[in-house]
Coordinates of all heavy atoms in Angstrom, one line a residue:
M122 N 0.8 -1.2 0.0 CA 0.0 0.0 0.0 C 0.9 1.3 0.0 O 1.7 1.4 0.9 CB -0.8 0.0 1.3 CG -2.3 0.1 1.0 SD -3.2 0.4 2.5 CE -3.7 -1.2 3.0
G123 N 0.7 2.1 -1.0 CA 1.4 3.4 -1.1 C 0.7 4.5 -0.3 O -0.5 4.4 -0.1
T124 N 1.4 5.5 0.0 CA 0.7 6.7 0.6 C 0.6 7.7 -0.4 O 1.4 7.9 -1.3 CB 1.6 7.2 1.8 OG1 2.9 7.6 1.3 CG2 1.7 6.2 2.9
S125 N -0.5 8.5 -0.3 CA -0.8 9.6 -1.2 C -0.4 10.9 -0.6 O -0.8 11.1 0.6 CB -2.3 9.5 -1.6 OG -2.6 10.7 -2.3
T126 N 0.4 11.7 -1.3 CA 0.8 13.0 -0.8 C 0.0 14.1 -1.6 O 0.0 14.0 -2.8 CB 2.3 13.2 -0.9 OG1 2.9 12.2 -0.2 CG2 2.7 14.5 -0.3
S127 N -0.6 15.0 -0.9 CA -1.3 16.1 -1.6 C -0.8 17.4 -0.9 O -0.4 17.4 0.2 CB -2.8 15.9 -1.5 OG -3.2 15.9 -0.2
A128 N -0.9 18.4 -1.7 CA -0.6 19.8 -1.2 C -1.8 20.6 -1.1 O -2.7 20.5 -2.0 CB 0.4 20.4 -2.2
V129 N -2.0 21.3 -0.1 CA -3.1 22.2 0.2 C -2.7 23.6 0.3 O -1.7 23.9 1.1 CB -3.9 21.7 1.4 CG1 -5.1 22.7 1.6 CG2 -4.4 20.3 1.3
A130 N -3.3 24.5 -0.5 CA -2.9 25.9 -0.4 C -4.1 26.7 -0.3 O -5.1 26.4 -0.9 CB -2.0 26.3 -1.6
T131 N -4.1 27.9 0.4 CA -5.2 28.8 0.5 C -4.8 30.1 0.0 O -3.7 30.6 0.3 CB -5.7 28.9 2.0 OG1 -6.0 27.6 2.5 CG2 -6.9 29.8 2.1
Y132 N -5.7 30.7 -0.8 CA -5.5 31.9 -1.5 C -6.7 32.9 -1.1 O -7.8 32.4 -0.7 CB -5.5 31.8 -3.0 CG -4.4 30.8 -3.4 CD1 -4.8 29.5 -3.6 CD2 -3.1 31.2 -3.6 CE1 -3.8 28.5 -4.1 CE2 -2.1 30.3 -4.0 CZ -2.5 28.9 -4.2 OH -1.6 28.0 -4.6
T133 N -6.5 34.2 -1.3 CA -7.6 35.1 -1.2 C -7.8 35.7 -2.6 O -6.9 36.1 -3.2 CB -7.2 36.2 -0.2 OG1 -6.9 35.6 1.1 CG2 -8.4 37.2 0.0
V134 N -9.1 35.8 -2.9 CA -9.6 36.3 -4.2 C -10.5 37.4 -4.0 O -11.4 37.3 -3.2 CB -10.3 35.1 -5.0 CG1 -10.8 35.7 -6.3 CG2 -9.3 34.0 -5.2
T135 N -10.4 38.5 -4.8 CA -11.3 39.6 -4.6 C -12.2 39.7 -5.9 O -11.8 39.2 -7.0 CB -10.5 41.0 -4.6 OG1 -9.7 41.1 -5.7 CG2 -9.7 41.0 -3.3
G136 N -13.3 40.3 -5.7 CA -14.2 40.5 -6.8 C -15.4 39.5 -6.9 O -16.3 39.7 -7.6
M137 N -15.4 38.4 -6.1 CA -16.5 37.5 -6.1 C -17.6 38.0 -5.3 O -17.5 38.4 -4.2 CB -16.0 36.1 -5.5 CG -14.9 35.5 -6.3 SD -14.5 33.8 -5.6 CE -14.0 34.2 -4.0
T138 N -18.9 37.9 -5.9 CA -20.0 38.5 -5.2 C -21.2 37.5 -5.2 O -22.2 37.8 -4.6 CB -20.5 39.8 -5.9 OG1 -20.8 39.5 -7.3 CG2 -19.4 40.8 -5.8
C139 N -21.1 36.4 -5.9 CA -22.3 35.5 -5.9 C -21.8 34.0 -6.2 O -20.7 33.7 -6.4 CB -23.3 35.9 -7.0 SG -22.6 35.8 -8.7
G140 N -22.8 33.1 -6.3 CA -22.6 31.7 -6.6 C -22.0 31.5 -7.9 O -21.2 30.6 -8.1
H141 N -22.3 32.3 -8.9 CA -21.7 32.2 -10.2 C -20.3 32.5 -10.2 O -19.4 31.8 -10.9 CB -22.4 33.1 -11.2 CG -21.8 33.1 -12.6 ND1 -21.9 32.1 -13.4 CD2 -21.1 34.0 -13.2 CE1 -21.3 32.3 -14.6 NE2 -20.7 33.5 -14.4
C142 N -19.9 33.5 -9.4 CA -18.5 33.8 -9.3 C -17.7 32.6 -8.7 O -16.6 32.2 -9.2 CB -18.3 35.0 -8.3 SG -19.1 36.5 -8.8
V143 N -18.2 32.0 -7.7 CA -17.6 30.8 -7.0 C -17.5 29.7 -8.0 O -16.4 29.1 -8.2 CB -18.5 30.4 -5.8 CG1 -18.0 29.0 -5.3 CG2 -18.5 31.4 -4.7
S144 N -18.5 29.4 -8.8 CA -18.4 28.4 -9.9 C -17.4 28.6 -10.9 O -16.7 27.8 -11.3 CB -19.8 28.2 -10.5 OG -20.7 27.8 -9.6
S145 N -17.2 29.9 -11.3 CA -16.2 30.3 -12.3 C -14.8 30.0 -11.7 O -14.0 29.5 -12.4 CB -16.4 31.8 -12.7 OG -17.6 31.9 -13.3
V146 N -14.6 30.5 -10.5 CA -13.3 30.3 -9.9 C -13.0 28.8 -9.7 O -11.9 28.4 -10.1 CB -13.2 31.1 -8.6 CG1 -11.9 30.7 -7.8 CG2 -13.2 32.6 -8.9
E147 N -13.9 28.1 -9.2 CA -13.7 26.6 -9.0 C -13.4 25.9 -10.3 O -12.5 25.1 -10.4 CB -15.0 26.0 -8.4 CG -15.1 26.3 -6.9 CD -16.4 25.8 -6.4 OE1 -17.4 25.5 -7.1 OE2 -16.5 25.7 -5.1
A148 N -14.1 26.3 -11.4 CA -13.9 25.6 -12.7 C -12.5 26.0 -13.3 O -11.8 25.0 -13.7 CB -15.0 26.1 -13.7
E149 N -12.2 27.2 -13.2 CA -10.9 27.6 -13.8 C -9.7 27.0 -13.0 O -8.7 26.5 -13.6 CB -10.7 29.1 -13.9 CG -11.6 29.8 -14.9 CD -11.3 29.3 -16.3 OE1 -10.1 29.0 -16.7 OE2 -12.2 29.3 -17.1
I150 N -9.7 27.0 -11.7 CA -8.6 26.5 -10.9 C -8.7 24.9 -11.1 O -7.6 24.3 -11.2 CB -8.7 26.8 -9.4 CG1 -8.5 28.4 -9.3 CG2 -7.7 26.1 -8.6 CD1 -8.7 28.9 -7.9
G151 N -9.8 24.4 -11.1 CA -10.0 22.9 -11.3 C -9.4 22.4 -12.6 O -9.1 21.2 -12.7
R152 N -9.2 23.2 -13.6 CA -8.6 22.8 -14.8 C -7.1 22.7 -14.8 O -6.4 22.2 -15.7 CB -8.9 23.8 -16.0 CG -10.3 23.8 -16.4 CD -10.6 24.7 -17.6 NE -12.0 24.6 -18.0 CZ -12.9 25.6 -17.8 NH1 -12.5 26.7 -17.3 NH2 -14.2 25.4 -18.1
L153 N -6.4 23.2 -13.7 CA -5.0 23.2 -13.6 C -4.5 21.7 -13.3 O -5.2 21.0 -12.6 CB -4.5 24.0 -12.4 CG -4.7 25.5 -12.5 CD1 -4.3 26.2 -11.2 CD2 -4.0 26.1 -13.7
D154 N -3.4 21.4 -13.9 CA -2.9 20.0 -13.8 C -2.6 19.7 -12.3 O -2.0 20.5 -11.6 CB -1.6 19.8 -14.5 CG -1.8 19.8 -16.1 OD1 -2.9 19.5 -16.5 OD2 -0.8 20.1 -16.8
G155 N -3.1 18.5 -11.9 CA -2.8 18.1 -10.6 C -3.9 18.5 -9.5 O -3.9 17.9 -8.4
V156 N -4.7 19.4 -9.9 CA -5.8 19.9 -8.9 C -6.8 18.8 -8.7 O -7.4 18.3 -9.6 CB -6.4 21.2 -9.3 CG1 -7.6 21.5 -8.4 CG2 -5.4 22.3 -9.3
T157 N -7.0 18.4 -7.4 CA -8.0 17.4 -7.1 C -9.3 18.0 -6.4 O -10.3 17.3 -6.4 CB -7.4 16.3 -6.2 OG1 -6.9 17.0 -5.0 CG2 -6.2 15.6 -6.9
H158 N -9.2 19.1 -5.8 CA -10.3 19.7 -5.2 C -10.1 21.2 -5.0 O -9.0 21.7 -4.7 CB -10.5 19.1 -3.8 CG -11.7 19.6 -3.0 ND1 -13.0 19.2 -3.4 CD2 -11.9 20.4 -2.0 CE1 -13.9 19.8 -2.6 NE2 -13.2 20.6 -1.7
V159 N -11.3 22.0 -5.2 CA -11.2 23.4 -5.0 C -12.4 23.7 -4.1 O -13.5 23.3 -4.4 CB -11.4 24.2 -6.3 CG1 -11.3 25.7 -6.1 CG2 -10.2 23.8 -7.3
A160 N -12.2 24.5 -3.0 CA -13.3 24.9 -2.1 C -13.2 26.5 -2.0 O -12.2 27.0 -1.7 CB -13.2 24.3 -0.8
V161 N -14.3 27.1 -2.3 CA -14.4 28.6 -2.3 C -15.3 29.0 -1.2 O -16.5 28.5 -1.1 CB -14.8 29.1 -3.6 CG1 -14.9 30.7 -3.6 CG2 -13.9 28.7 -4.7
D162 N -14.9 29.9 -0.3 CA -15.7 30.5 0.7 C -16.0 31.9 0.2 O -15.1 32.8 0.3 CB -15.0 30.5 2.0 CG -15.9 31.1 3.2 OD1 -16.9 31.8 2.9 OD2 -15.5 31.0 4.3
L163 N -17.2 32.1 -0.3 CA -17.6 33.5 -0.9 C -17.5 34.6 0.2 O -17.0 35.7 -0.1 CB -19.0 33.4 -1.4 CG -19.5 34.7 -2.0 CD1 -18.7 35.1 -3.2 CD2 -21.0 34.5 -2.5
A164 N -17.9 34.3 1.4 CA -17.9 35.4 2.4 C -16.6 35.9 2.7 O -16.4 37.1 2.9 CB -18.6 34.8 3.7
S165 N -15.5 35.0 2.8 CA -14.2 35.5 3.1 C -13.3 35.7 1.9 O -12.3 36.3 2.1 CB -13.5 34.5 4.0 OG -13.3 33.2 3.3
G166 N -13.7 35.2 0.8 CA -12.9 35.3 -0.4 C -11.8 34.3 -0.4 O -10.9 34.3 -1.3
R167 N -11.8 33.3 0.5 CA -10.7 32.3 0.6 C -11.0 31.2 -0.4 O -12.1 30.7 -0.5 CB -10.7 31.7 2.0 CG -10.3 32.7 3.1 CD -8.9 32.9 3.2 NE -8.6 33.8 4.3 CZ -7.5 34.6 4.3 NH1 -6.6 34.5 3.4 NH2 -7.3 35.4 5.3
V168 N -9.9 30.8 -1.0 CA -10.0 29.6 -2.0 C -9.0 28.6 -1.5 O -7.8 28.9 -1.5 CB -9.7 30.1 -3.4 CG1 -9.8 28.9 -4.3 CG2 -10.7 31.2 -3.9
T169 N -9.4 27.4 -1.2 CA -8.5 26.4 -0.8 C -8.4 25.3 -1.9 O -9.4 24.9 -2.4 CB -9.0 25.7 0.5 OG1 -9.2 26.7 1.5 CG2 -8.1 24.6 1.0
V170 N -7.2 25.1 -2.3 CA -6.9 24.2 -3.4 C -6.1 23.0 -2.9 O -5.1 23.2 -2.3 CB -6.1 24.9 -4.5 CG1 -5.9 24.0 -5.7 CG2 -6.8 26.2 -4.9
T171 N -6.6 21.8 -3.3 CA -5.9 20.6 -3.0 C -5.4 20.1 -4.3 O -6.1 20.0 -5.3 CB -6.8 19.6 -2.3 OG1 -7.4 20.1 -1.2 CG2 -6.0 18.3 -1.9
A172 N -4.1 19.7 -4.3 CA -3.5 19.2 -5.6 C -2.6 18.0 -5.3 O -2.2 17.8 -4.1 CB -2.8 20.3 -6.3
D173 N -2.2 17.3 -6.3 CA -1.2 16.2 -6.2 C 0.1 16.7 -5.8 O 0.9 15.9 -5.2 CB -1.1 15.4 -7.5 CG -2.4 14.7 -7.9 OD1 -3.2 14.4 -7.0 OD2 -2.7 14.5 -9.1
A174 N 0.5 17.9 -6.1 CA 1.8 18.5 -5.8 C 1.6 20.0 -5.6 O 0.5 20.5 -6.0 CB 2.8 18.2 -6.9
A175 N 2.6 20.6 -5.1 CA 2.5 22.1 -4.9 C 2.2 22.8 -6.2 O 2.8 22.4 -7.3 CB 3.8 22.6 -4.2
L176 N 1.4 23.8 -6.2 CA 1.1 24.5 -7.4 C 1.9 25.8 -7.5 O 2.2 26.4 -6.4 CB -0.4 24.9 -7.5 CG -1.4 23.7 -7.6 CD1 -2.8 24.2 -7.3 CD2 -1.3 23.1 -8.9
Q177 N 2.2 26.3 -8.7 CA 2.8 27.6 -8.8 C 1.7 28.7 -8.6 O 0.7 28.6 -9.2 CB 3.4 27.7 -10.2 CG 4.6 26.8 -10.4 CD 5.8 27.1 -9.6 OE1 6.1 28.2 -9.3 NE2 6.3 26.0 -9.0
E178 N 2.0 29.7 -7.7 CA 1.1 30.7 -7.5 C 0.7 31.4 -8.8 O -0.4 31.9 -9.0 CB 1.6 31.7 -6.5 CG 0.5 32.7 -6.0 CD 0.9 33.6 -4.9 OE1 1.3 33.0 -3.9 OE2 0.7 34.8 -5.0
A179 N 1.6 31.6 -9.7 CA 1.4 32.3 -11.0 C 0.3 31.5 -11.8 O -0.5 32.2 -12.4 CB 2.7 32.4 -11.8
A180 N 0.3 30.2 -11.7 CA -0.7 29.4 -12.5 C -2.0 29.6 -11.8 O -3.0 29.7 -12.5 CB -0.3 27.9 -12.5
V181 N -2.1 29.6 -10.5 CA -3.4 29.9 -9.8 C -3.8 31.2 -10.1 O -5.0 31.4 -10.4 CB -3.2 29.6 -8.3 CG1 -4.5 29.9 -7.6 CG2 -2.8 28.2 -8.0
A182 N -3.0 32.2 -10.1 CA -3.3 33.6 -10.4 C -3.9 33.8 -11.8 O -4.9 34.4 -12.0 CB -2.2 34.6 -10.1
A183 N -3.3 33.1 -12.7 CA -3.7 33.1 -14.1 C -5.1 32.5 -14.3 O -5.9 33.0 -15.0 CB -2.7 32.4 -15.1
A184 N -5.3 31.4 -13.6 CA -6.7 30.8 -13.6 C -7.7 31.7 -13.0 O -8.8 31.8 -13.6 CB -6.6 29.4 -12.9
I185 N -7.4 32.3 -11.9 CA -8.3 33.3 -11.3 C -8.6 34.5 -12.2 O -9.8 34.9 -12.3 CB -7.8 33.7 -9.9 CG1 -7.8 32.5 -8.9 CG2 -8.6 34.9 -9.3 CD1 -7.1 32.7 -7.6
D186 N -7.6 35.0 -12.8 CA -7.7 36.1 -13.8 C -8.6 35.7 -14.9 O -9.4 36.4 -15.4 CB -6.3 36.5 -14.3 CG -6.4 37.7 -15.2 OD1 -6.8 38.8 -14.7 OD2 -6.0 37.6 -16.3
E187 N -8.4 34.5 -15.4 CA -9.2 34.0 -16.5 C -10.7 33.9 -16.2 O -11.6 34.1 -17.0 CB -8.7 32.6 -16.9 CG -9.4 32.0 -18.1 CD -9.2 32.7 -19.5 OE1 -8.1 33.3 -19.6 OE2 -10.1 32.6 -20.3
A188 N -10.9 33.6 -14.9 CA -12.3 33.6 -14.4 C -12.9 35.0 -14.2 O -14.1 35.2 -14.0 CB -12.4 32.8 -13.1
G189 N -12.0 36.0 -14.2 CA -12.5 37.4 -14.1 C -12.3 38.0 -12.8 O -12.9 39.1 -12.4
Y190 N -11.4 37.4 -11.9 CA -11.2 37.9 -10.6 C -9.7 38.1 -10.3 O -8.9 37.9 -11.2 CB -11.9 36.9 -9.6 CG -13.3 36.7 -10.0 CD1 -13.6 35.6 -10.7 CD2 -14.3 37.6 -9.7 CE1 -14.9 35.3 -11.2 CE2 -15.6 37.4 -10.1 CZ -15.9 36.3 -10.9 OH -17.2 36.1 -11.3
E191 N -9.4 38.5 -9.1 CA -8.0 38.9 -8.8 C -7.5 38.2 -7.5 O -8.2 38.1 -6.5 CB -7.9 40.4 -8.6 CG -6.4 40.8 -8.5 CD -6.3 42.3 -8.4 OE1 -7.3 43.1 -8.8 OE2 -5.3 42.8 -8.0
L192 N -6.3 37.6 -7.7 CA -5.7 37.0 -6.5 C -5.0 38.0 -5.7 O -4.3 38.9 -6.3 CB -4.6 35.9 -7.0 CG -3.7 35.3 -5.9 CD1 -4.6 34.3 -5.1 CD2 -2.6 34.6 -6.6
V193 N -5.2 38.0 -4.4 CA -4.5 39.0 -3.5 C -3.2 38.3 -3.2 O -3.1 37.2 -2.8 CB -5.3 39.2 -2.2 CG1 -4.5 40.1 -1.2 CG2 -6.7 39.7 -2.5
P194 N -2.1 39.1 -3.5 CA -0.7 38.5 -3.3 C -0.6 38.1 -1.8 O -1.1 38.8 -0.9 CB 0.2 39.7 -3.6 CG -0.6 40.6 -4.5 CD -2.0 40.4 -4.0
A195 N 0.2 37.1 -1.6 CA 0.3 36.5 -0.2 C 0.9 37.6 0.8 O 0.6 37.6 1.9 CB 1.2 35.3 -0.2
E196 N 1.8 38.5 0.2 CA 2.4 39.5 1.1 C 1.6 40.7 1.4 O 1.9 41.5 2.2 CB 3.8 39.9 0.5 CG 3.7 40.6 -0.8 CD 3.6 39.8 -2.0 OE1 3.7 38.5 -1.9 OE2 3.5 40.3 -3.1
A197 N 0.4 40.7 0.8 CA -0.5 41.9 1.0 C -1.1 41.8 2.4 O -1.5 40.7 2.9 CB -1.6 41.9 0.0
P198 N -1.2 42.9 3.1 CA -1.7 42.9 4.5 C -3.2 42.6 4.5 O -4.0 43.0 3.6 CB -1.5 44.3 5.0 CG -1.4 45.1 3.8 CD -0.8 44.3 2.7
A199 N -3.7 41.8 5.4 CA -5.1 41.4 5.5 C -5.9 42.5 6.2 O -7.1 42.6 6.0 CB -5.2 40.1 6.3
A200 N -5.3 43.3 7.0 CA -6.0 44.4 7.7 C -6.7 45.4 6.7 O -6.1 45.8 5.7 CB -5.0 45.2 8.6
G201 N -7.9 45.6 6.9 CA -8.7 46.5 6.1 C -9.2 45.8 4.8 O -9.8 46.5 4.0
A202 N -8.9 44.6 4.6 CA -9.3 43.9 3.4 C -10.8 43.7 3.5 O -11.4 43.5 4.5 CB -8.7 42.5 3.3
S203 N -11.4 43.8 2.3 CA -12.9 43.6 2.3 C -13.3 43.1 0.9 O -12.5 43.0 0.0 CB -13.6 45.0 2.5 OG -13.3 45.9 1.4
C204 N -14.6 42.8 0.8 CA -15.0 42.3 -0.5 C -15.0 43.5 -1.6 O -14.5 44.5 -1.3 CB -16.4 41.8 -0.4 SG -17.7 43.0 -0.1
C205 N -15.6 43.3 -2.7 CA -15.5 44.2 -3.8 C -16.3 45.5 -3.5 O -16.1 46.5 -4.2 CB -16.0 43.6 -5.1 SG -17.8 43.2 -4.9
G206 N -17.1 45.5 -2.5 CA -17.8 46.7 -2.1 C -19.2 46.8 -2.6 O -20.0 47.6 -2.2
S207 N -19.6 45.9 -3.5 CA -20.9 46.0 -4.1 C -22.0 45.6 -3.1 O -23.2 45.9 -3.3 CB -21.0 45.1 -5.3 OG -20.9 43.8 -5.0
C208 N -21.7 44.9 -2.0 CA -22.7 44.5 -1.1 C -22.8 45.5 0.1 O -23.6 45.3 1.0 CB -22.3 43.1 -0.5 SG -20.8 43.0 0.3
H209 N -22.1 46.6 0.1 CA -22.2 47.6 1.2 C -23.2 48.7 0.8 O -23.2 49.3 -0.1 CB -20.8 48.2 1.5 CG -19.9 47.1 1.9 ND1 -20.0 46.4 3.1 CD2 -18.7 46.6 1.4 CE1 -19.1 45.6 3.3 NE2 -18.3 45.6 2.3

């Protein structure tokens, strides 16, 4: 019996406002090689990706961009972060 190793990474995405946004992001990231699961939390903008191996952040950012949204860089401060503003 072999063991399976997977990588899990969490990203923050801005611009998502509804279930269609979530579906678009899940679909685009899900197309990346090695991705086995994508979970999007609309309220927080958090996207958790499980893959067979570590993913390049640039590839994830490109998939999110293709879906029409933006990846918040990991070094960006979380303080003051909010959704797109359309719900306020």
Side-chain angles (χ1 to χ4, degrees):
M122 238 192 261
T124 58
S125 174
T126 303
S127 61
V129 178
T131 301
Y132 305 94
T133 301
V134 177
T135 60
M137 298 184 298
T138 59
C139 65
H141 175 71
C142 300
V143 169
S144 296
S145 295
V146 169
E147 286 175 340
E149 289 298 330
I150 295 174
R152 290 186 180 110
L153 295 175
D154 286 340
V156 171
T157 57
H158 182 71
V159 181
V161 178
D162 180 345
L163 179 61
S165 69
R167 298 274 184 209
V168 177
T169 303
V170 181
T171 305
D173 293 337
L176 296 170
Q177 295 294 318
E178 186 171 313
V181 175
I185 291 168
D186 184 63
E187 183 66 28
Y190 308 97
E191 186 176 344
L192 175 70
V193 176
E196 64 275 359
S203 66
C204 72
C205 66
S207 67
C208 58
H209 298 295

